[in-house]
Amino acid sequence: MPKLIVKDLHVKVEDKEILKGLDLEVDSNERHALMGPNGNGKSTLLAAIMGNPKFIVTKGSITYDGKDILSMSVDERSRLGLFLGMQYPSEVPGVTNSDFLRTAINARNEKPISLFKFIKEMDKAINTLEMKPDLAHRFLNDGFSGGEKKRNEIVQMMLLKPTLAMLDEIDSGLDVDALRIVADAIDTCQKETNMGMIIVSHYARFLDYLKPTHAHILIDGRIVVSGGPELIEKIDKEGYDWIEKEYNVKATREEEKARPISLGSCGAKRSK
Ligand SMILES: Nc1ncnc2c1ncn2[C@@H]1O[C@H](COP(=O)(O)OP(=O)(O)O)[C@@H](O)[C@H]1O
Ligand SMILES: [Mg+2]
């Protein structure tokens, strides 16, 4: 069973140290909730694990399935089974959703997926997520609403069947009904594939649906406290102040600003 092991990870972005010695282990079949005030490094951690070249690892190690992944490209990490559902998915006009997905699936498999099987799986995913049927033929995320972009990340996950899925605020921009639909789809996919998960979310309700087995609080570039579901409940009731006091840490305080996002091979586009 492939396992992710992050040790003493230090990550810089634009010459600022964001992660300052972070440790985390995620095994198959485990569901890890990653929480913490905005601007403290949650997305940075996921970007570094996925291999976004903007995020420079200055110290520490990341291994997956016993392999050092730091020297691997995003593509190679994806083929190894890693998947990142992004907080701000990129829009890629000119590439249809189905072309993008088939290319991504074929890049991972020795034999290309048959068109029949691909269409069947894509239809099933679109149905499960209750999305519009024309989704397959539209340009990737182009003109999608915030909620449609998030659902589309899950469509990708369902087709790619990763062994480790990292979902970054996949619940933001979803209304109550959509929240349930998306959570159910993730839950089913996890059970079918036994994948490990890292779920970044601020919402206890979403996490209630997904039943994390572990919870971690990331403050100022480190995981300060880890625990089980009871930790999520406590954060929901009491916020993060008590952690700062009890563990003598100071959270970075800032409103999250929109930033250009890029995954190397995908076109960079400023999200709104
Ligand atoms: N692409 C980027 N360019 C410049 N700074 C960034 C970028 N991504 C993140 N940062 C900075 O890294 C810090 C942590 O951000 P982030 O990892 O997005 O936090 P979180 O996901 O916990 O809200 C912030 O100070 C943020 O401004
Ligand atoms: Mg974030």
Side-chain angles (χ1 to χ4, degrees):
M1 287 297 201
K3 185 173 184 179
L4 176 79
I5 302 179
V6 178
K7 269 196 198 143
D8 191 30
L9 189 69
H10 292 248
V11 173
K12 245 177 25 183
V13 55
E14 287 177 356
D15 273 336
K16 193 169 140 209
E17 185 169 59
I18 306 295
L19 299 185
K20 306 173 181 175
L22 185 144
D23 297 287
L24 179 68
E25 296 196 3
V26 179
D27 213 336
S28 311
N29 260 321
E30 292 178 351
R31 301 179 176 199
H32 291 248
L34 181 63
M35 306 178 81
N38 279 340
N40 281 264
K42 300 182 297 295
S43 297
T44 299
L45 172 63
L46 303 191
I49 296 172
M50 200 64 222
N52 184 331
K54 259 196 103 150
F55 296 77
I56 315 283
V57 174
T58 54
K59 198 177 161 200
S61 65
I62 310 179
T63 59
Y64 187 63
D65 200 13
K67 299 177 184 80
D68 170 16
I69 61 169
L70 284 179
S71 55
M72 296 183 188
S73 65
V74 174
D75 282 3
E76 288 170 300
R77 296 183 204 202
S78 161
R79 268 179 263 139
L80 208 58
L82 304 189
F83 174 86
L84 173 59
M86 287 198 274
Q87 185 170 6
Y88 306 108
S90 308
E91 297 178 8
V92 191
V95 176
T96 66
N97 226 342
S98 57
D99 281 348
F100 168 78
L101 267 169
R102 259 182 90 197
T103 308
I105 293 170
N106 286 340
R108 296 165 148 237
N109 299 337
E110 273 171 24
K111 269 199 343 211
I113 185 170
S114 79
L115 190 58
F116 177 75
K117 187 162 178 234
F118 174 75
I119 292 172
K120 215 173 92 183
E121 288 196 11
M122 182 125 187
D123 278 352
K124 186 175 156 216
I126 290 173
N127 261 325
T128 307
L129 285 154
E130 300 187 23
M131 297 185 73
K132 295 196 197 97
D134 70 348
L135 177 105
H137 314 292
R138 283 166 60 186
F139 290 148
L140 182 58
N141 287 325
D142 191 24
F144 284 27
S145 72
E148 281 176 328
K149 283 184 188 169
K150 294 306 178 80
R151 290 187 205 212
N152 201 38
E153 295 292 286
I154 302 304
V155 169
Q156 291 172 19
M157 183 184 83
M158 289 171 71
L159 271 87
L160 290 173
K161 301 184 182 64
T163 48
L164 178 73
M166 303 181 279
L167 305 177
D168 198 354
E169 298 201 24
I170 212 78
D171 50 346
S172 66
L174 298 180
D175 59 39
V176 205
D177 293 335
L179 204 65
R180 175 97 235 190
I181 291 164
V182 166
D184 281 348
I186 297 169
D187 181 66
T188 308
C189 184
Q190 195 284 319
K191 284 177 180 143
E192 281 171 7
T193 61
N194 299 326
M195 66 185 181
M197 289 203 285
I198 305 176
I199 311 148
V200 174
S201 172
H202 292 294
Y203 299 107
R205 184 188 196 128
F206 184 64
L207 294 169
D208 269 353
Y209 289 142
L210 282 177
K211 304 210 176 352
T213 53
H214 301 68
H216 310 276
I217 313 303
L218 202 173
I219 294 182
D220 192 26
R222 290 188 191 96
I223 288 177
V224 180
V225 198
S226 295
E230 75 292 339
L231 186 57
I232 300 170
E233 213 172 294
K234 183 154 171 154
I235 299 294
D236 191 43
K237 288 207 187 87
E238 300 175 28
Y240 297 109
D241 288 356
W242 64 275
I243 298 182
E244 295 188 68
K245 289 195 192 95
E246 210 167 292
Y247 294 87
N248 198 21
V249 286
K250 191 138 185 47
T252 307
R253 302 254 177 248
E254 57 150 46
E255 279 310 299
E256 217 170 1
K257 288 182 251 39
R259 293 183 289 271
I261 38 169
S262 153
L263 252 188
S265 53
C266 303
K269 180 146 185 161
R270 189 173 283 277
S271 58
K272 51 172 189 341

